[in-house]
Amino acid sequence: MIYTIEKQTGAAFTLKKGSLLKVIDPQGEQVSDMVLFNADDIREKISSGKTLDFENTILITQGHHLWSNRSHKMMKIVEDTNGRNDFLLAPCSAETFEILYNNPNYHPSCFENLYTNLSQFGIQPDDIPTAFNIFMNVQFAADGTLSVDPPQSKAGDYVLFEATMDLIVGLTACSAEQSNNYSFKPIQYEIIK
Amino acid sequence: MIYTIEKQTGAAFTLKKGSLLKVIDPQGEQVSDMVLFNADDIREKISSGKTLDFENTILITQGHHLWSNRSHKMMKIVEDTNGRNDFLLAPCSAETFEILYNNPNYHPSCFENLYTNLSQFGIQPDDIPTAFNIFMNVQFAADGTLSVDPPQSKAGDYVLFEATMDLIVGLTACSAEQSNNYSFKPIQYEIIK
C-alpha cells in the first residue's frame, strides 16, 4: 500500500527492524525531511554529526547508513534513484521563514509537521534533531557557502531504506518554497514487509 | 584568570549573557569541542543544523553566530585568529575509536569528557549534541568526501565568543589522535567580564 503525504503536511509511523521504507517523489522536485527514533527508547535518535563522521562524507546516498547519537546504525540506504540528499540543514520552522525569508506570518513547516505527527509517540518539539532531507539539493562551494537549489529528483524517483532497528519515523512533504522550486507537492511512501 | 584544560580532559561552567569566552590553543594544532545549553532550560542547546542554515555556510568563523535548536542566537564569534573550525562531525566517543580506528580498548573521548563534566548541570549523555569543534580542520571535497586534517592553529591562536544568552558551556581538549596531528595538548580558556 502506498501512502500519500499531502503537500506541506507530515506523517509518523513505526517501522520494524528488517522492514523496508520506500520514499517516493511522485511529481519530481519535492523534498521530504525524515527523522528517526529508536522505538524502544526515544532518547536515541538520528544524528547528522555521527552519520557524516562514520560515513566520512557530506553526501549520504545508496550504500550508506543513517547513524544514531549512540553510534548505532538505524537504517541502511538500499537504493537511491536520485542520489542527492542533504544532511546539513535543520528542518524548516516558523523561524526559518521569519529570519531567512522575512515572513513574519504563519507558514507551515517541516518542524511543525514533524513534532505534531510525532507527539503521539511522546516526542516533543525540543526532541526533533536535524533531519535527513531526502531529495534536498544543498550545494556547497569550496569556501563553505551553501545554496538551496531545486531538487534534481524526477517524477517517480525514490529512496529505499532498510530499518536496522525498530524505529519511529517522522516524514514530511516539505513546506519551504526554496527547497522544492516554489511548487508544493506531495510525497509518497510504502512500507514493504 | 586563564584556566587550563589538561590534555584529553574537559570542563563545564556557566557564562552570563554579555560575557566573553576566549578559547586558546596554547601550543598549536589542538582541537576543542564546545557544546552550549540555555542555562535556564537545558532542552535548548546548540544546533549545527540551525547554525549552518541561518549562517548559510559550512565554515563558521568571525562574525557568525552559534544558534540553538529553538532558533535563538547563543553566541557571537567576535574574533577568530585561526579561522578554521568544524561543525559537521560529532564529538569523538568510545565508538569513534572502535568503529573508525579499530581500537576496542578504553580511550578518552570528547563525548565522555563533555557528559561527565556537564552532569553537574543535569545534562546526560543523550543530551550531548554535535559540538562546535574549535580549531578542527575538516576538509570537504566537491564530491562530499571528508578528511580530518591537522589543525592550522598556531600556538596562541584563539577564538573569542560573546554569550548572547545565559549559558552552560562544555569544553574539551580533544582526545582524538587524528584531530590534533597525533599529539595531545591542553586547551586554555578565559572568561572576560
Side-chain angles (χ1 to χ4, degrees):
Chain A
M1 180 174 172
I2 294 178
Y3 300 88
T4 296
I5 303 175
E6 298 298 339
K7 63 177 183 176
Q8 296 188 304
T9 71
F13 49 88
T14 58
L15 189 70
K16 282 283 175 196
K17 179 178 176 175
S19 291
L20 299 172
L21 171 68
K22 189 175 184 176
V23 180
I24 306 155
D25 182 355
Q27 299 178 16
E29 288 195 341
Q30 176 58 309
V31 166
S32 178
D33 283 16
M34 182 172 75
V35 292
L36 305 174
F37 297 83
N38 177 339
D40 297 320
D41 183 349
I42 59 170
R43 292 172 303 175
E44 179 167 16
K45 56 190 170 186
I46 190 170
S47 165
S48 171
K50 281 291 180 193
T51 301
L52 270 50
D53 201 5
F54 287 130
E55 300 299 342
N56 204 41
T57 179
I58 292 175
L59 296 175
I60 302 298
T61 181
Q62 190 170 312
H64 294 133
H65 285 87
L66 302 177
W67 294 75
S68 78
N69 58 327
R70 294 184 189 164
S71 299
H72 297 140
K73 294 174 180 174
M74 303 190 92
M75 275 183 163
K76 179 176 182 177
I77 304 183
V78 178
E79 206 178 342
D80 183 350
T81 65
N82 171 50
R84 186 84 191 193
N85 309 290
D86 171 68
F87 211 176
L88 298 176
L89 301 187
C92 63
S93 66
E95 297 82 4
T96 312
F97 299 105
E98 193 178 327
I99 298 171
L100 286 180
Y101 304 124
N102 290 313
N103 177 0
N105 302 316
Y106 174 76
H107 193 299
S109 70
C110 284
F111 181 67
E112 182 184 5
N113 287 326
L114 288 169
Y115 78 72
T116 52
N117 281 283
L118 286 162
S119 66
Q120 63 184 302
F121 299 105
I123 293 163
Q124 300 184 331
D126 284 328
D127 300 327
I128 304 293
T130 295
F132 182 62
N133 305 309
I134 305 163
F135 309 123
M136 190 174 186
N137 182 14
V138 177
Q139 296 288 330
F140 43 90
D143 71 354
T145 306
L146 299 173
S147 61
V148 179
D149 290 356
Q152 298 166 341
S153 48
K154 305 281 184 290
D157 269 331
Y158 64 87
V159 184
L160 186 66
F161 302 92
E162 180 184 348
T164 49
M165 66 169 67
D166 290 349
L167 294 171
I168 298 164
V169 180
L171 205 59
T172 71
C174 181
S175 300
E177 282 78 356
Q178 200 179 12
S179 301
N180 47 54
N181 208 15
Y182 298 86
S183 159
F184 301 117
K185 285 155 288 193
I187 284 289
Q188 293 183 319
Y189 68 95
E190 186 178 4
I191 297 173
I192 304 164
K193 277 205 292 190
Chain B
M1 180 173 173
I2 294 179
Y3 300 88
T4 296
I5 302 175
E6 298 298 340
K7 63 177 184 176
Q8 297 188 303
T9 70
F13 48 88
T14 57
L15 189 70
K16 282 281 174 197
K17 178 178 176 174
S19 290
L20 299 173
L21 170 68
K22 189 175 183 176
V23 180
I24 307 155
D25 181 355
Q27 300 177 17
E29 288 195 341
Q30 177 57 311
V31 166
S32 178
D33 283 16
M34 182 172 75
V35 292
L36 306 174
F37 297 83
N38 178 339
D40 298 319
D41 184 349
I42 59 170
R43 292 172 303 176
E44 179 167 17
K45 55 190 169 186
I46 190 170
S47 166
S48 170
K50 280 291 180 193
T51 301
L52 270 51
D53 201 6
F54 287 130
E55 299 299 342
N56 204 41
T57 178
I58 292 175
L59 296 175
I60 302 297
T61 181
Q62 190 171 311
H64 294 134
H65 286 86
L66 302 177
W67 295 75
S68 78
N69 58 328
R70 293 184 189 166
S71 300
H72 297 140
K73 294 174 179 173
M74 303 190 92
M75 276 183 161
K76 179 176 181 175
I77 304 182
V78 177
E79 207 180 342
D80 183 351
T81 66
N82 173 51
R84 187 85 191 194
N85 309 290
D86 170 68
F87 211 175
L88 297 176
L89 301 187
C92 62
S93 65
E95 296 83 4
T96 312
F97 300 104
E98 194 179 325
I99 297 170
L100 286 179
Y101 303 125
N102 290 313
N103 178 0
N105 302 315
Y106 174 77
H107 193 298
S109 69
C110 285
F111 181 68
E112 182 183 6
N113 286 326
L114 288 169
Y115 77 72
T116 52
N117 281 283
L118 286 162
S119 66
Q120 63 183 302
F121 299 105
I123 292 162
Q124 299 183 331
D126 285 327
D127 299 328
I128 304 294
T130 295
F132 182 62
N133 305 309
I134 305 164
F135 308 124
M136 191 174 186
N137 182 15
V138 177
Q139 295 288 332
F140 43 89
D143 71 355
T145 305
L146 298 172
S147 61
V148 180
D149 290 357
Q152 298 167 341
S153 47
K154 306 280 185 289
D157 269 331
Y158 63 87
V159 184
L160 186 66
F161 302 92
E162 180 184 351
T164 49
M165 67 169 68
D166 289 349
L167 294 171
I168 298 164
V169 180
L171 205 58
T172 72
C174 181
S175 300
E177 283 78 355
Q178 199 180 13
S179 300
N180 47 54
N181 208 14
Y182 298 86
S183 160
F184 301 116
K185 286 156 287 193
I187 284 289
Q188 293 183 321
Y189 69 95
E190 186 178 2
I191 296 172
I192 304 163
K193 278 206 292 187

